[in-house]
Protein backbone atom coordinates (compact mmCIF):
# COMPACT_ATOMS: atom_id res chain seq x y z
CA UNK A 1 0.00 0.00 0.00
CA UNK A 2 2.83 2.43 0.86
CA UNK A 3 3.99 2.47 -2.78
CA UNK A 4 0.54 3.54 -4.01
CA UNK A 5 -0.34 5.75 -1.04
CA UNK A 6 1.98 8.56 -2.16
CA UNK A 7 1.31 8.61 -5.89
CA UNK A 8 0.20 11.94 -7.40
CA UNK A 9 -3.53 11.10 -7.68
CA UNK A 10 -3.64 10.20 -3.97
CA UNK A 11 -1.63 13.30 -3.04
CA UNK A 12 -4.30 15.39 -4.80
CA UNK A 13 -6.99 13.62 -2.76
CA UNK A 14 -5.05 14.31 0.45
CA UNK A 15 -4.77 17.96 -0.61
CA UNK A 16 -8.57 18.12 -1.00
CA UNK A 17 -8.99 16.82 2.55
CA UNK A 18 -6.40 19.34 3.83
CA UNK A 19 -8.39 22.13 2.14
CA UNK A 20 -11.32 21.53 4.52
CA UNK A 21 -9.74 23.06 7.68
CA UNK A 22 -8.24 25.85 5.55
CA UNK A 23 -11.71 26.86 4.31
CA UNK A 24 -12.99 26.84 7.91
CA UNK A 25 -10.01 28.97 8.94
CA UNK A 26 -10.93 31.59 6.31
CA UNK A 27 -14.25 32.17 8.08
CA UNK A 28 -12.51 32.49 11.46
CA UNK A 29 -9.68 34.86 10.44
CA UNK A 30 -11.09 37.59 12.67
CA UNK A 31 -11.18 35.32 15.72
CA UNK A 32 -14.87 34.50 15.33
CA UNK A 33 -17.18 33.20 12.62
CA UNK A 34 -17.22 36.18 10.26
CA UNK A 35 -18.04 35.95 6.57
CA UNK A 36 -16.29 39.10 5.38
CA UNK A 37 -15.65 39.61 1.66
CA UNK A 38 -12.00 38.63 2.18
CA UNK A 39 -13.02 35.46 4.02
CA UNK A 40 -15.44 34.52 1.24
CA UNK A 41 -12.99 35.09 -1.64
CA UNK A 42 -10.22 33.24 0.23
CA UNK A 43 -12.52 30.31 0.98
CA UNK A 44 -13.75 30.28 -2.62
CA UNK A 45 -10.17 30.23 -3.97
CA UNK A 46 -9.26 27.24 -1.79
CA UNK A 47 -12.55 25.51 -2.61
CA UNK A 48 -12.04 25.95 -6.38
CA UNK A 49 -8.50 24.59 -6.18
CA UNK A 50 -9.75 21.62 -4.16
CA UNK A 51 -12.63 21.02 -6.60
CA UNK A 52 -10.22 20.94 -9.54
CA UNK A 53 -8.20 18.21 -7.81
CA UNK A 54 -11.40 16.12 -7.74
CA UNK A 55 -11.28 15.86 -11.52
CA UNK A 56 -7.55 15.40 -11.86
CA UNK A 57 -7.01 12.76 -9.18
CA UNK A 58 -9.42 10.35 -10.88
CA UNK A 59 -8.26 11.24 -14.38
CA UNK A 60 -4.57 10.77 -13.56
CA UNK A 61 -5.20 7.56 -11.60
CA UNK A 62 -6.97 6.03 -14.61
CA UNK A 63 -4.56 7.41 -17.23
CA UNK A 64 -1.40 6.43 -15.35
CA UNK A 65 -2.95 3.18 -14.07
CA UNK A 66 -2.32 4.29 -10.49
CA UNK A 67 -5.70 3.40 -9.00
CA UNK A 68 -5.45 2.17 -5.44
CA UNK A 69 -7.75 1.00 -2.68
CA UNK A 70 -6.88 4.00 -0.50
CA UNK A 71 -7.68 6.34 -3.40
CA UNK A 72 -11.01 4.61 -4.07
CA UNK A 73 -11.88 4.93 -0.38
CA UNK A 74 -10.70 8.51 0.23
CA UNK A 75 -11.90 10.17 -3.00
CA UNK A 76 -15.64 10.13 -2.18
CA UNK A 77 -14.89 10.88 1.49
CA UNK A 78 -12.89 13.98 0.47
CA UNK A 79 -15.81 15.22 -1.67
CA UNK A 80 -18.30 14.69 1.16
CA UNK A 81 -16.06 16.42 3.73
CA UNK A 82 -15.58 19.41 1.44
CA UNK A 83 -19.27 19.86 0.59
CA UNK A 84 -20.59 19.11 4.10
CA UNK A 85 -18.15 21.50 5.79
CA UNK A 86 -19.03 24.33 3.40
CA UNK A 87 -22.77 23.75 3.84
CA UNK A 88 -22.42 23.88 7.63
CA UNK A 89 -20.30 27.04 7.46
CA UNK A 90 -22.77 28.74 5.13
CA UNK A 91 -25.68 27.84 7.42
CA UNK A 92 -23.84 29.26 10.44
CA UNK A 93 -22.19 32.32 8.87
CA UNK A 94 -23.14 35.86 9.84
CA UNK A 95 -24.79 36.51 6.45
CA UNK A 96 -27.03 33.42 6.86
CA UNK A 97 -26.35 32.44 3.24
CA UNK A 98 -28.21 29.16 3.76
CA UNK A 99 -31.25 29.86 5.91
CA UNK A 100 -34.99 29.25 6.10
CA UNK A 101 -36.34 26.79 3.55
CA UNK A 102 -32.92 26.51 1.88
CA UNK A 103 -31.71 24.65 4.97
CA UNK A 104 -33.87 21.74 3.78
CA UNK A 105 -31.81 21.44 0.60
CA UNK A 106 -28.63 21.24 2.71
CA UNK A 107 -30.24 18.73 5.10
CA UNK A 108 -31.36 16.52 2.17
CA UNK A 109 -27.81 16.52 0.79
CA UNK A 110 -26.18 15.74 4.15
CA UNK A 111 -28.70 13.02 5.08
CA UNK A 112 -28.33 11.30 1.71
CA UNK A 113 -24.54 11.29 1.98
CA UNK A 114 -24.66 9.74 5.47
CA UNK A 115 -27.28 7.15 4.47
CA UNK A 116 -25.46 6.10 1.29
CA UNK A 117 -22.15 5.88 3.16
CA UNK A 118 -23.79 3.62 5.74
CA UNK A 119 -25.33 1.48 3.00
CA UNK A 120 -21.98 1.17 1.22
CA UNK A 121 -20.27 0.13 4.47
CA UNK A 122 -22.94 -2.51 5.14
CA UNK A 123 -22.78 -3.87 1.58
CA UNK A 124 -18.96 -3.91 1.68
CA UNK A 125 -19.20 -6.28 4.67
CA UNK A 126 -21.35 -8.54 2.43
CA UNK A 127 -18.67 -8.25 -0.30
CA UNK A 128 -21.15 -6.39 -2.52
CA UNK A 129 -19.91 -3.45 -4.57
CA UNK A 130 -22.26 -0.64 -5.60
CA UNK A 131 -20.51 1.27 -8.40
CA UNK A 132 -20.72 5.05 -8.64
CA UNK A 133 -23.11 6.01 -11.43
CA UNK A 134 -22.50 8.76 -13.97
CA UNK A 135 -25.45 10.68 -12.52
CA UNK A 136 -23.88 10.51 -9.05
CA UNK A 137 -20.73 12.08 -10.50
CA UNK A 138 -22.86 14.86 -12.02
CA UNK A 139 -24.56 15.27 -8.65
CA UNK A 140 -21.20 15.94 -7.02
CA UNK A 141 -20.27 18.43 -9.75
CA UNK A 142 -23.58 20.31 -9.37
CA UNK A 143 -23.13 20.41 -5.58
CA UNK A 144 -19.65 21.85 -5.95
CA UNK A 145 -20.80 24.53 -8.40
CA UNK A 146 -23.68 25.45 -6.05
CA UNK A 147 -21.33 25.66 -3.05
CA UNK A 148 -18.91 27.79 -5.09
CA UNK A 149 -21.66 30.33 -5.84
CA UNK A 150 -22.78 30.32 -2.20
CA UNK A 151 -19.24 30.77 -0.88
CA UNK A 152 -18.95 33.91 -3.03
CA UNK A 153 -22.42 34.88 -1.73
CA UNK A 154 -22.86 38.58 -0.85
CA UNK A 155 -19.27 39.30 -1.92
CA UNK A 156 -20.09 37.88 -5.34
CA UNK A 157 -23.39 39.78 -5.49
CA UNK A 158 -21.41 43.03 -5.48
CA UNK A 159 -19.71 41.99 -8.74
CA UNK A 160 -22.32 39.77 -10.41
CA UNK A 161 -25.89 40.37 -9.20
CA UNK A 162 -27.89 37.32 -8.05
CA UNK A 163 -24.81 35.20 -7.34
CA UNK A 164 -26.36 34.03 -4.05
CA UNK A 165 -29.74 33.33 -5.66
CA UNK A 166 -28.05 31.29 -8.41
CA UNK A 167 -26.24 29.30 -5.73
CA UNK A 168 -29.49 28.64 -3.87
CA UNK A 169 -31.26 27.51 -7.07
CA UNK A 170 -28.37 25.17 -7.89
CA UNK A 171 -28.37 23.85 -4.32
CA UNK A 172 -32.06 22.92 -4.64
CA UNK A 173 -31.40 21.32 -8.02
CA UNK A 174 -28.52 19.30 -6.59
CA UNK A 175 -30.74 18.27 -3.64
CA UNK A 176 -33.30 16.85 -6.11
CA UNK A 177 -30.59 14.97 -8.03
CA UNK A 178 -29.21 13.83 -4.65
CA UNK A 179 -32.61 12.37 -3.71
CA UNK A 180 -32.84 10.50 -6.99
CA UNK A 181 -29.30 9.06 -6.83
CA UNK A 182 -29.85 8.13 -3.17
CA UNK A 183 -33.02 6.26 -4.13
CA UNK A 184 -31.08 4.57 -6.95
CA UNK A 185 -28.40 3.33 -4.51
CA UNK A 186 -30.98 2.10 -2.00
CA UNK A 187 -32.92 0.28 -4.71
CA UNK A 188 -29.70 -1.42 -5.86
CA UNK A 189 -28.64 -2.24 -2.29
CA UNK A 190 -32.06 -3.25 -0.96
CA UNK A 191 -32.16 -6.55 -2.83
CA UNK A 192 -28.94 -7.61 -1.09
CA UNK A 193 -30.32 -6.54 2.30
CA UNK A 194 -33.59 -8.44 1.71
CA UNK A 195 -31.72 -11.54 0.52
CA UNK A 196 -29.58 -11.40 3.66
Amino acid sequence: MSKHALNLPNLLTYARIMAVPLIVLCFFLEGRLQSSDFARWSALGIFLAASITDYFDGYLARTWKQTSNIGKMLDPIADKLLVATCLLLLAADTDRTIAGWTLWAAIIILCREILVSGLREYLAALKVSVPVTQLAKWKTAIQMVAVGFLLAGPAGDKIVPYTTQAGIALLWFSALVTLYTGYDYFRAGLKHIVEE
Side-chain angles (χ1 to χ4, degrees):
M1 179 185 135
S2 57
K3 183 179 82 169
H4 297 295
L6 295 178
N7 63 30
L8 182 58
N10 285 342
L11 290 173
L12 291 174
T13 302
Y14 305 150
R16 195 153 74 258
I17 293 170
M18 296 286 290
V20 172
L22 293 177
I23 290 170
V24 174
L25 189 63
C26 290
F27 278 78
F28 282 89
L29 283 175
E30 297 172 24
R32 61 190 174 89
L33 182 61
Q34 178 69 40
S35 57
S36 63
D37 287 3
F38 178 75
R40 285 182 173 278
W41 291 123
S42 303
L44 179 61
I46 296 167
F47 179 81
L48 290 175
S51 297
I52 290 167
T53 69
D54 184 33
Y55 170 78
F56 282 107
D57 62 3
Y59 174 77
L60 293 174
R62 288 186 300 275
T63 304
W64 295 348
K65 298 188 178 6
Q66 292 184 345
T67 56
S68 63
N69 287 334
I70 192 165
K72 287 178 189 172
M73 179 192 74
L74 286 180
D75 183 57
I77 290 173
D79 296 339
K80 289 170 178 51
L81 286 173
L82 193 61
V83 169
T85 300
C86 289
L87 290 177
L88 291 171
L89 274 173
L90 291 165
D93 76 341
T94 49
D95 291 321
R96 310 258 306 141
T97 311
I98 296 176
W101 285 102
T102 309
L103 278 171
W104 282 103
I107 289 166
I108 288 167
I109 290 167
L110 294 174
C111 287
R112 182 268 188 197
E113 300 302 355
I114 293 166
L115 288 168
V116 169
S117 295
L119 176 67
R120 282 180 172 280
E121 190 175 329
Y122 175 78
L123 292 175
L126 299 178
K127 305 270 191 278
V128 174
S129 174
V130 182
V132 177
T133 64
Q134 191 60 45
L135 186 60
K137 291 178 181 177
W138 277 105
K139 177 266 308 176
T140 301
I142 296 165
Q143 282 180 4
M144 289 191 167
V145 172
V147 169
F149 274 91
L150 291 170
L151 279 173
D157 289 334
K158 293 173 184 173
I159 298 169
V160 179
Y162 305 110
T163 297
T164 304
Q165 287 84 345
I168 288 169
L170 283 167
L171 190 69
W172 275 109
F173 180 62
S174 70
L176 293 173
V177 177
T178 293
L179 274 177
Y180 180 79
T181 57
Y183 166 75
D184 222 21
Y185 279 123
F186 271 96
R187 191 182 58 187
L190 197 58
K191 62 182 180 187
H192 298 288
I193 294 169
V194 171
E195 286 169 9
E196 186 66 14

